[in-house]
Structure formats: C-alpha cells, structure tokens
C-alpha cells in the first residue's frame, strides 16, 4: 500500500466522500463497525454498506484517522480553511472512528448554532457512534446538549429554557422513547454502562419531568432487562431511582392536589385546620396503596433472581435498598410535604443510594433524603422523635429473616451464603435490633 503524502490525501478524501455518499444512499443506517482486513486486497472502496449496516475495512483506519484529525486541528488553529460542507464530512468521519474527540463535537455545536447543521442529524450520528463506542462520555454529553437545543429551537413559544412542562405530550413521549431505546441498546453493548444509565435518568428528569406514567412504564420495561443482567449494578441503581422518584413524585402531585382543592373551595364549611387534615388524609389514602405494592413486587423480583442466580452481590445490594425504601415509606407518608422533596435530585443520582455502608445507628439512616440543612432546621422535636422511632410493623422484617434462613439452609454456593450473612448483619445494624 502506497504511503506517500499525496497518495494518502487522495485515498482519505475518497474514503470520506464514500462515507458521506453512504449516508445519502441510506439515511437509515443504524450500526457501524470495523471489518478486520489487514491490507487492501482489491481495488475497491473500504466502505461497505449492507442493508442498514456500515462497515469500514480496518486497513484504512491508520491512514484515515490521523489525516482527518490533523486537518480539523489545522482548521481550529486557523492554519487551513475548510468550508462548512467539508467540516460536516470530516467531523462525521472523525467521530465515527473516535467519538471522544471533544474538538470535533464543539465544531458541530458551532455548525448547529449557525443553522448549517440539523441537530437531528447529530442525534443520529451520536446513536451510530454509540453502537461502536457505547460508553463514550463525550457522545452522551453532546447528546444532552443537542436535545436541549432541539427543544428550544422547535418549541420557542411553548418551552422556556430548562422547562418542558408546557410542551406537547406526544412530542415529549416520542423524545423520551427514542432516548430510552438508545440507552437500552448502549447498556446491552457494554456491561455496567454508567454513562448510558445516567443519561437515561437525565432524560426522565429533563424531558419527561419525572412523569408518573413514564416512570411506571420504565419500571415495567426494565424488569426483563435486569433479569437478564443480574450483575449489572447500574441497571438496578436505575430501578432504585425509579422507585424513589415514584414515591416522591406521587406525594408531590398529592400536595399540589391538596393545595388546589383548598383554593377552589368557594364556601368552606369546616375550619381550615380540619380541611387540611381531611385533604391530607384523603391524599394519603389515595396514594399509599400503590407504593407498598410496587416495593412488594420489587422484593419478589429480588427473591426470584437471588434463588435463580446465586452468588451475585448486586442482587443483595438491591434488596437492601428496597427494604430501605419500605422502611422509610412507613415513616414518611405522614409527612408528604417533606417527603416530596426527596426525589427531586438535579444531578440524576440517588441520595444515600447504598444505605448502610457504616450504619451504626438508625437515626442516621432514617434521616430525610435530599433535604438541605436549612430545610431540616424547621422540624419540630415531635417530628424528629417520629423519625427515630423503630419500625412498628415487623412483618416485612420477619419475612426477610425467613428468607435469609431459607437461603442459608438450601444454598451450596459459598458466595451466596456470605452475602446472605452480610444481609442479616446489615438488617440488625440498620434497625438497631
């Protein structure tokens, strides 16, 4: 293979053009990959397009990647001029081969802001890059930026910056579904893909606004996925986020409903204090049955997976968190105004996600999640006493101890027995018993 600079330049220009033509011929390309080929055996293009799959013969990468990389750097350093079409083609080729090259994404950001590049194309490019590099952090970061630009550009009269509450429901659901599909595919390609699951949480927070319906749909749709990836802690962490958000979101909706009911009453016949008590009682009565049912289903899922796949620590850690949520739920439903703040985490992570690395005293674990110190200062001594109160209903605790005994008496896996013993120890430490 000739390696003279002039011949390399001609070769690379042809390959870049072939990649661009491939996208023009088939705009529905959904996967990219390298075709193992140490050297060029035929006088043909190294770009192979079969149905919706785009392949690049590996022999040309050693020429293609350095050339487009240096050309883009020279452009940024103002040593070489490139028109907008050339920038689009070069950055596309470069990012398909190396999606963590931040400069290329920044150039495409400038092209989007100038109106040269359609942001939808960058979503598609990022999706393709993730089929080969599913954990690429720069690709996920750029994807979030593009989504924000799409919303602000296409819905200027309905959407203000950072607020999607007035956006059409159909569009939001479509955007959310697309992002969920991209995240699910990336998570399946790379184990414990924290970047993909974090982006999924971001999409729920900023696109879906933690919609109760979407949260429930996600909880249902990811059940099969985690059952097939029992060692993937990131997937179970996502379900922990869903459960916590559902509890917090439901109580938030309940508080708004109480407020609206009180404001809409034209001729109140009861004292204000009694109205508040009745509204809160009705709210708790309406919302409370759903939460124990969801948590009970999650415990049953943990039980089935632990029995079917012994020796996986991720399952035991998830069971700890579900029990942690059950314990808190029984104490927090009487305080909807404070519990509503728990799930509103702007960074997309759970507060106290692993409850009890060193839980020596129950009062620390029983603290309200996600509240600032200033918010806690207004609590009365009675509320603090209730927070420190031990669990009154021990049925779930007895069931946990029976489950541990059953596992220890039947399992032959050493790791399974160790995890069961550690869980028993954690229960005693967490509850102070």
């Amino acid at each position: 293979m000739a390696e003279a600079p002039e011949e390399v330049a001609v070769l690379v220009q042809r390959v870049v053009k072939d990649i661009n033509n491939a996208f023009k011929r088939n705009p529905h390309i959904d996967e990219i990959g390298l075709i193992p080929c140490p050297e060029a055996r035929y006088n043909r293009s190294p770009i192979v397009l079969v149905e919706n799959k785009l392949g690049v013969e590996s022999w040309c990468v050693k020429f293609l990647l350095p050339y487009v990389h240096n050309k883009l750097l020279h452009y940024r350093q103002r040593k070489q001029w490139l028109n907008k079409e050339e920038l689009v083609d070069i950055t596309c080729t470069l990012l398909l081969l190396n999606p963590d090259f931040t400069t290329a994404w920044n150039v495409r950001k400038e092209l989007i802001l100038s109106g040269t590049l359609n942001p939808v194309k960058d979503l598609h490019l990022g999706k393709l890059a993730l089929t080969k590099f599913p954990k690429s952090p720069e690709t996920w970061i750029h994807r979030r930026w593009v989504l924000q630009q799409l919303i602000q550009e296409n819905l200027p009269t309905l959407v203000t910056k950072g607020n999607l509450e007035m956006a059409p429901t159909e569009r939001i659901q479509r955007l959310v579904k697309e992002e969920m599909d991209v995240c699910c595919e990336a998570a399946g390609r790379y184990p414990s893909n924290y970047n993909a699951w974090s982006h999924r949480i971001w999409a729920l927070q900023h696109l879906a606004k933690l919609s109760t319906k979407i949260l429930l749909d996600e909880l249902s749709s990811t059940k099969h996925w985690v059952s097939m990836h029992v060692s993937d802690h990131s997937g179970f962490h996502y379900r922990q986020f869903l459960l916590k958000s559902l509890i917090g979101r439901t109580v938030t909706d309940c508080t708004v409903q109480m407020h609206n009911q009180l404001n809409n009453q034209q001729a109140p016949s009861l004292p204000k204090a009694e109205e508040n008590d009745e509204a809160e009682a009705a709210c708790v009565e309406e919302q409370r049955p759903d939460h124990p049912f969801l948590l009970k289903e999650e415990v049953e899922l943990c039980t089935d997976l632990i029995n079917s796949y012994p020796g996986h620590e991720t399952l035991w850690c998830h069971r700890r968190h579900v029990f942690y949520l059950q314990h808190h739920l029984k104490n927090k439903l009487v305080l909807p105004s404070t519990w509503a703040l728990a799930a509103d985490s702007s960074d997309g992570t759970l507060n106290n996600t692993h409850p009890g690395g060193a839980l020596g005293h129950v009062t620390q674990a029983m603290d309200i999640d996600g509240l600032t110190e200033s918010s806690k200062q207004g609590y009365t001594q009675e509320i603090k006493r209730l927070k420190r109160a031990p669990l009154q209903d021990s049925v779930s605790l007895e069931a946990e101890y029976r489950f541990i005994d059953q596992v220890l008496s039947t399992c032959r896996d050493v790791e399974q027995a160790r995890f069961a013993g550690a869980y028993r120890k954690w229960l005693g430490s967490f509850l102070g018993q």
Side-chain angles (χ1 to χ4, degrees), residues 358-429:
L359 285 176
H361 199 277
V362 68
T363 54
Q364 181 181 357
M366 288 296 293
D367 207 0
I368 300 294
D369 299 348
L371 294 182
T372 60
E373 292 299 326
S374 59
S375 301
K376 297 176 183 178
Q377 293 176 357
Y379 290 178
T380 65
Q381 292 298 323
E382 180 65 16
I383 293 177
K384 292 181 179 179
R385 184 188 65 79
L386 289 175
K387 286 164 58 182
R388 296 189 181 99
L391 185 64
Q392 299 298 323
D393 185 7
S394 60
V395 175
S396 59
L397 179 60
E398 294 176 357
E400 291 302 288
Y401 280 126
R402 287 196 303 269
F403 172 71
I404 294 172
D405 292 337
Q406 178 263 329
V407 170
L408 292 175
S409 63
T410 58
C411 78
R412 299 179 179 180
D413 188 279
V414 176
E415 291 297 306
Q416 180 87 322
R418 184 168 68 87
F419 296 145
Y423 182 51
R424 181 197 291 275
K425 184 178 179 180
W426 177 84
L427 286 174
S429 174

Side-chain angles (χ1 to χ4, degrees), residues 121-156:
K121 291 186 176 181
D122 253 25
L123 287 180
H124 183 60
L125 176 62
K127 180 180 179 180
L128 287 178
L130 290 171
T131 62
K132 176 64 178 174
F133 307 93
K135 202 177 179 181
S136 169
E138 293 299 328
T139 304
W140 292 111
I141 292 171
H142 184 74
R143 191 171 191 87
R144 288 191 282 273
W145 183 87
V146 172
L147 286 170
Q148 291 173 336
Q149 296 302 313
L150 264 178
I151 295 163
Q152 296 173 29
E153 176 184 343
N154 295 337
L155 302 169

Side-chain angles (χ1 to χ4, degrees), residues 45 49 55 83 86 88 152 203 239 252 277 279 293 350 401 424:
S45 172
L49 179 62
N83 60 41
E86 290 175 326
V88 171
Q152 296 173 29
R239 289 184 67 82
T252 301
D277 292 341
F293 177 75
L350 285 170
Y401 280 126
R424 181 197 291 275

Side-chain angles (χ1 to χ4, degrees), residues 31-234:
E31 187 177 356
I32 62 170
L34 290 179
I35 302 174
C37 186
E39 58 184 14
R41 298 180 180 180
Y42 308 100
N43 186 20
R44 65 181 186 188
S45 172
I47 306 303
V48 180
L49 179 62
V50 179
E51 295 181 352
N52 294 334
K53 315 301 179 183
L54 179 67
V56 181
E57 294 183 354
S58 59
W59 65 264
C60 74
V61 175
K62 63 181 179 181
F63 304 108
L64 182 60
L65 186 57
Y67 181 87
V68 293
H69 180 274
N70 292 332
K71 199 166 187 178
L72 186 63
L73 287 182
H74 289 162
Y75 167 79
R76 295 297 281 181
Q77 296 168 358
R78 299 187 178 181
K79 296 180 180 179
Q80 181 179 0
W81 170 253
L82 297 174
N83 60 41
K84 294 181 178 180
E85 291 184 359
E86 290 175 326
L87 281 175
V88 171
D89 294 342
I90 287 178
T91 54
C92 175
T93 302
L94 179 55
L95 290 170
L96 289 177
L97 300 175
N98 179 21
D100 285 328
F101 188 47
T102 310
T103 302
W105 287 122
N106 290 338
V107 170
R108 294 182 75 89
K109 284 184 176 70
E110 296 173 358
L111 293 173
I112 290 175
L113 293 176
S114 66
T116 304
L117 183 62
N118 187 342
V120 175
K121 291 186 176 181
D122 253 25
L123 287 180
H124 183 60
L125 176 62
K127 180 180 179 180
L128 287 178
L130 290 171
T131 62
K132 176 64 178 174
F133 307 93
K135 202 177 179 181
S136 169
E138 293 299 328
T139 304
W140 292 111
I141 292 171
H142 184 74
R143 191 171 191 87
R144 288 191 282 273
W145 183 87
V146 172
L147 286 170
Q148 291 173 336
Q149 296 302 313
L150 264 178
I151 295 163
Q152 296 173 29
E153 176 184 343
N154 295 337
L155 302 169
T157 60
L158 295 176
V159 182
T160 58
K161 188 174 182 180
N163 180 14
L164 290 176
E165 293 179 354
M166 299 302 293
T169 304
E170 296 78 7
R171 176 175 179 79
I172 297 304
Q173 290 179 348
R174 186 171 68 252
L175 282 175
V176 171
K177 185 179 184 306
E178 291 174 357
E179 293 309 299
M180 298 302 105
D181 292 342
V182 171
C183 293
C184 185
E185 184 176 354
R189 291 177 180 272
Y190 195 100
S192 295
N193 193 339
Y194 176 81
N195 293 318
W197 291 104
S198 295
H199 179 82
R200 197 164 184 164
I201 291 176
W202 180 91
L204 289 180
Q205 290 177 322
H206 295 83
L207 297 180
K209 288 298 178 180
L210 296 178
S211 164
T212 301
K213 179 181 182 303
I214 295 179
L215 290 173
L216 288 171
D217 291 342
E218 281 294 285
L219 193 64
S220 175
S221 64
T222 56
K223 184 175 181 178
H224 176 72
W225 196 96
V226 296
S227 299
M228 302 297 293
H229 302 78
V230 292
S231 290
D232 196 310
H233 181 75
S234 296

